[in-house]
Amino acid sequence: MKIIDILKQDKPIFSFEFFPPKDDEGFERLFKTIDNLKSCEPAFVSVTYGAGGSTRSKTIELVGRIKKEIGLESMAHLTCVGHSSDELFHILDSIKLQDIDNVLALRGDPPADVINFTKPDNGFGYAQELVQFIRERFSFCIGVAGYPEGHPESTNRKEDLLHLKNKVLAGASFIITQLFFDNKHYFEFVNNLRNIGVDLPVIPGIMPIVNLKQIKKFTKMCGATLPSDLMERLEDAQGDQDAICKIGIDHATMQCRNLLKQNVPGIHFYTLNRSRATLSILESLM
């Protein structure tokens, strides 16, 4: 089922994001984690697409298994990194053969050992081009990413919003935001999109903090910021992993409650392949 159709229901949806592990044992553990989360009745789950070649085929395999064996709607991420347009066509065709209806189209980040993104030969340099390529050749429901605090590579917020609008004009059906920790960023972002004529559903992306070092790395990579009071509490709890997890879960729960009160279309959880934090938040919200 297409996510844009799921979003038409009269209640907010919940969805989960996972990344493909590096080995078969990790995949089996993840598959069991996703199976455990089925009781939460997520509207869909998504699987990221690594910058390296080793996990890319696993993404397609995993989204197919999630749909066929667990019975959950699934969405495959797809990036421009390292692929020609011909290669992207074959990947999309293989996703289609898995009976997957949804694709998240991204430019993607360069591999860890590469500083700047390089447009592949006969490939694409922008997510907008990938969206248009998919729309012209396949019937997928296409999602795109939005950055409430601006893409880290953009020179200004206005330019970043116009890039997102171009992705929408190219054929996107919905937007999932990058993580944020202050809801004002989300609401300002949505308001700014509405002011330039973008009226697609914007699903807020929430990442429960479970590790201080890790979240500092993530926020640096994606351009998100941590509120000073939250950072102070996390710093004070440094060395006490349980305390950090509680602070992170409590903050994410507060974010979700506030978002739901203001009628967001749903919440997309960045799970980091763990279920504990997400389950705790959902239990508090029910």
Side-chain angles (χ1 to χ4, degrees):
M1 186 175 184
K2 293 184 176 181
I3 290 171
I4 191 60
D5 293 325
I6 298 173
L7 287 165
K8 292 176 182 176
Q9 65 186 34
D10 60 357
K11 63 178 181 179
I13 67 168
F14 297 107
S15 55
F16 307 139
E17 181 168 303
F18 304 95
F19 61 84
K22 295 181 179 179
D23 55 45
D24 290 340
E25 183 179 344
F27 265 88
E28 289 307 313
R29 285 197 302 269
L30 175 57
F31 193 73
K32 290 177 182 176
T33 295
I34 297 171
D35 196 21
N36 290 336
L37 286 168
K38 184 179 180 180
S39 62
C40 298
E41 300 182 346
F44 67 91
V45 302
S46 71
V47 181
T48 64
Y49 193 74
S54 61
T55 64
R56 290 178 168 183
S57 62
K58 293 291 188 181
T59 294
I60 299 167
E61 175 189 334
L62 185 57
V63 292
R65 286 189 64 191
I66 291 167
K67 185 164 185 178
K68 292 174 184 175
E69 299 178 31
I70 300 180
L72 293 174
E73 201 59 57
S74 53
M75 175 173 67
H77 293 212
L78 182 62
T79 74
C80 303
V81 179
H83 286 311
S84 68
S85 59
D86 285 344
E87 289 172 332
L88 288 166
F89 180 87
H90 289 299
I91 292 167
L92 288 159
D93 198 46
S94 65
I95 294 172
K96 179 183 175 182
L97 290 173
Q98 293 280 355
D99 293 325
I100 301 303
D101 296 317
N102 306 287
V103 173
L104 189 70
L106 308 162
R107 188 204 69 176
D109 297 319
D113 57 343
V114 178
I115 297 175
N116 298 313
F117 176 87
T118 302
K119 179 180 177 178
D121 291 339
N122 301 312
F124 305 125
Y126 298 97
Q128 170 197 346
E129 298 170 299
L130 179 57
V131 172
Q132 184 173 348
F133 180 82
I134 298 170
R135 176 59 65 229
E136 291 175 351
R137 293 161 179 80
F138 295 89
S139 60
F140 293 113
C141 176
I142 305 170
V144 292
Y147 289 74
E149 297 178 70
H151 191 285
E153 294 179 21
S154 67
T155 56
N156 60 70
R157 195 68 58 86
K158 182 178 179 181
E159 176 192 78
D160 194 48
L161 290 168
L162 290 175
H163 280 307
L164 180 51
K165 182 175 182 177
N166 286 335
K167 289 191 281 186
V168 171
L169 292 173
S173 296
F174 65 95
I175 298 162
I176 295 178
T177 79
Q178 186 54 269
L179 58 93
F180 58 91
F181 297 96
D182 187 334
N183 288 356
K184 74 177 183 182
H185 296 306
Y186 169 82
F187 292 114
E188 288 175 359
F189 177 64
V190 173
N191 185 59
N192 289 335
L193 285 174
R194 302 303 184 237
N195 287 339
I196 61 171
V198 176
D199 61 358
L200 296 188
V202 181
I203 306 172
I206 296 295
M207 179 180 284
I209 297 169
V210 295
N211 181 292
L212 182 54
K213 181 179 178 181
Q214 186 181 56
I215 206 63
K216 286 181 178 179
K217 176 183 176 182
F218 287 157
T219 52
K220 183 178 180 180
M221 287 173 56
C222 70
T225 57
L226 286 161
S228 58
D229 60 331
L230 174 60
M231 176 60 82
E232 185 177 338
R233 283 183 285 138
L234 290 168
E235 295 277 6
D236 288 345
Q238 197 163 0
D240 186 340
Q241 192 58 39
D242 288 339
I244 287 174
C245 283
K246 185 178 186 309
I247 292 167
I249 290 170
D250 287 348
H251 184 81
T253 302
M254 177 190 68
Q255 280 190 274
C256 291
R257 284 203 181 107
N258 177 260
L259 289 164
L260 292 169
K261 283 181 180 178
Q262 300 189 60
N263 300 315
V264 297
I267 294 173
H268 187 68
F269 288 100
Y270 294 104
T271 69
L272 299 176
N273 287 15
R274 301 182 180 96
S275 59
R276 175 190 163 194
T278 304
L279 285 169
S280 295
I281 294 166
L282 288 174
E283 286 171 2
S284 296
L285 296 175
M286 298 304 179

